[in-house]
Amino acid sequence: MSKQHLLTPYHKNIDLKNRVVMAPMTRSRADNEGKVPTDDLHGLYYEQRASAGLIITEGSQVSAEATGYINTPGIYTEAQVEGWKKVTKRVHDQGGTIFIQLWHVGRISHPDFHDGALPVSASAINPEAKSFTPEGFKDTVTPKAMTIEDIKRTVKDFQNAAKNAIEAGFDGVEIHSSNGYLFQQFFNGCSNTRTDEYGGSIENRARFFFEVLDAIKEVIPQERIAARFNPSAHNVFGITVDEDTIPTFEYIIKKLNDYNLAYVHLSEPFTDVSDVPFAVSEIAKHFRPLYNGTLMINNEFDKEKGNKVLEDGDADLVAYGKLFISNPDLVERFEQDVDLAEWDEDTFYTTGEKGYTDYPKATE
C-alpha cells in the first residue's frame, strides 16, 4: 500500500511529522475555582495524543468575560499559565506539537458566568440559543453591545493571552473566529447591526478580527498564529447565512494572504446547507483557490475522506475531533489499518478521567 497522504510530513511555516491534526474540543475538565488545567487530567489527555502531527487544545478563554461554558481552562492568569506549562512539557517530551485555541464566546454565554452582568457581543441581539451554565442549560439573553472601549480592551486581552501562551510553552495559537462565537458575531449580519466602523460593510465587520490578529503579531511571530472559521454555519450557534456571509469570508481569507500564518482552519458545514440560499456546501473546494497558505479542513472526516481531500489538493492538513477522543493512538490506527474505538458521548462534558484519559490504545 502506498504511503497515506495523511501520514506524510508537512513543512510550510509549520513543521509537522504528519498531517493528522487533533481538533480543538471543549471537554470541561478544569473543575476548579481558578479554571486551571491540571497535570493529571489535561496533561495526560494531551500527552496520550501526542502522535498527532499537531494538537490544538480546547478553546481557552482569554479573560473572565470571555467565559461561556463550565469548567473550561483559561489562559489569562498566572496559575493558568503554570498549569499549561505542565501540559506543553508532556506533549513536547513525546515529540508532539501543540497550539492553544484562544476563545471569547461573546453572546453564547449567560449572566450566571458574570455575577449577573450581561455577556457582550457586536450588537444587542439574543442568539436564542442555550448556554451550558453551572446549573445546567439555560436560555441565552440579549447581550450588551460592545463599546469601542470594550473592543479595545478585548483586543488587548487576546494579545495578552497570546503572550501567556508562548510563556506556557505552546508552539502557537489559534484564534477561534468560528462557531458563532464573538468574532463570527461581528462577521454575520444576523448578529451585527452596528452603524460604526465595526458594522455595515464587509470590511468593517471584519475589522475587529484583524485588529486582534495585528495585535497578536506584535508579540509573537506570524508563523505561530492561526485562525479558524466556519463560513457556512447556519441555524447553529445563533448564526444564519445571508447574501453577505460568504463574500465576507472570501474577503477575510483573501486578506489573510497578506500575512504569513501557520495555517487557516476551516470547517465544512455542520448541517446540510445544500438548499440554503447563499451557503456553500463544499468549503475546502471553495476556499482552497483563494488562499495561498496552509489550509486545514475539519468536520466528519474519516481516514479515507481525509486522504482524499489531501490527494485532491483541497487542503494540506485534516483535523479530527471525536475520533481523537476515543482513539488516543489515532495516527497509529490509521497507519496499521486498525479498527477505531467508539466514543462515549455521555462523558464529553463531564468531570474526571472517565471518558477522558481512560480510552485504551489498540496495543493495550
Side-chain angles (χ1 to χ4, degrees):
M1 177 181 174
S2 61
K3 183 78 168 176
Q4 298 178 48
H5 279 66
L6 281 168
L7 303 179
T8 59
Y10 185 77
H11 305 288
K12 183 179 178 180
N13 280 11
I14 186 169
D15 291 314
L16 305 179
K17 58 194 173 188
N18 60 62
R19 301 174 189 234
V20 182
V21 177
M22 179 177 170
M25 291 176 286
T26 297
R27 300 303 310 278
S28 297
R29 255 59 179 198
D31 183 21
N32 56 72
E33 189 175 346
K35 301 296 176 277
V36 175
T38 60
D39 187 40
D40 58 335
L41 279 176
H42 298 81
L44 177 58
Y45 172 71
Y46 288 115
E47 177 189 37
Q48 288 172 336
R49 291 153 179 81
S51 60
L54 171 66
I55 289 171
I56 312 168
T57 73
E58 60 217 281
S60 299
Q61 55 267 16
V62 300
S63 65
E65 181 186 69
T67 309
Y69 292 83
I70 63 167
N71 301 334
T72 53
I75 184 65
Y76 59 93
T77 71
E78 186 176 335
Q80 290 163 352
V81 171
E82 291 303 311
W84 281 121
K85 282 181 181 178
K86 297 171 184 175
V87 176
T88 59
K89 183 180 187 306
R90 279 198 181 222
V91 171
H92 290 150
D93 284 350
Q94 296 299 318
T97 301
I98 183 167
F99 275 40
I100 188 172
Q101 190 183 63
L102 304 182
W103 197 25
H104 192 310
V105 308
R107 67 182 188 167
I108 307 294
S109 186
H110 193 276
D112 285 4
F113 289 107
H114 310 293
D115 295 324
L118 293 175
V120 298
S121 186
S123 299
I125 301 172
N126 190 334
E128 304 295 343
K130 295 286 186 182
S131 177
F132 188 20
T133 78
E135 298 177 3
F137 282 100
K138 293 187 178 182
D139 292 336
T140 53
V141 301
T142 300
K144 173 199 170 199
M146 294 176 78
T147 64
I148 300 298
E149 182 181 338
D150 291 334
I151 290 171
K152 289 180 177 178
R153 184 186 68 252
T154 304
V155 170
K156 193 71 176 173
D157 288 340
F158 272 91
Q159 185 186 58
N160 288 336
K163 286 170 61 178
N164 287 343
I166 300 306
E167 183 186 342
F170 284 101
D171 299 295
V173 304
E174 179 182 282
I175 305 169
H176 197 354
S177 352
S178 188
N179 295 9
Y181 298 127
L182 185 60
F183 292 108
Q184 194 157 18
Q185 292 160 31
F186 274 80
F187 299 154
N188 284 61
C190 65
S191 47
N192 183 349
T193 57
R194 300 175 74 100
T195 56
D196 62 6
E197 63 265 42
Y198 295 96
S201 70
I202 285 174
E203 183 179 25
N204 281 357
R205 284 187 274 120
R207 187 184 306 277
F208 176 36
F209 167 79
F210 282 103
E211 287 181 353
V212 166
L213 177 55
D214 289 340
I216 291 177
K217 75 182 182 70
E218 288 177 7
V219 295
I220 69 174
Q222 291 184 55
E223 59 270 21
R224 299 180 76 171
I225 308 170
R228 184 182 185 187
F229 304 96
N230 189 347
S232 279
H234 184 72
N235 282 341
V236 288
F237 314 111
I239 292 294
T240 53
V241 171
D242 63 28
E243 63 271 23
D244 289 331
T245 302
I246 297 301
T248 298
F249 286 101
E250 290 171 344
Y251 166 80
I252 292 168
I253 300 303
K254 288 178 183 176
K255 188 174 172 67
L256 287 173
N257 286 317
D258 298 335
Y259 294 79
N260 195 32
L261 301 186
Y263 60 85
V264 165
H265 182 180
L266 300 179
S267 295
E268 296 290 353
F270 288 178
T271 56
D272 182 5
V273 297
S274 54
D275 294 328
V276 177
F278 311 116
V280 168
S281 293
E282 294 184 298
I283 293 297
K285 285 186 181 301
H286 184 88
F287 285 95
R288 170 77 282 180
L290 305 183
Y291 186 58
N292 302 327
T294 297
L295 192 68
M296 181 188 299
I297 193 65
N298 183 1
N299 197 36
E300 302 299 331
F301 282 87
D302 56 18
K303 182 176 72 172
E304 289 70 29
K305 290 178 182 176
N307 278 306
K308 186 173 191 314
V309 74
L310 297 179
E311 289 164 12
D312 291 347
D314 291 329
D316 303 299
L317 308 169
V318 183
Y320 292 87
K322 292 190 285 284
L323 287 182
F324 255 119
I325 289 178
S326 52
N327 298 276
D329 56 340
L330 185 64
V331 173
E332 291 81 0
R333 290 183 189 237
F334 280 175
E335 192 167 25
Q336 296 156 18
D337 198 26
V338 173
D339 288 344
L340 301 182
E342 292 293 319
W343 55 80
D344 177 9
E345 201 157 331
D346 290 340
T347 60
F348 279 4
Y349 310 111
T350 52
T351 57
E353 65 181 27
K354 182 173 171 54
Y356 190 61
T357 56
D358 61 349
Y359 286 103
K361 295 182 178 182
T363 53
E364 297 167 354

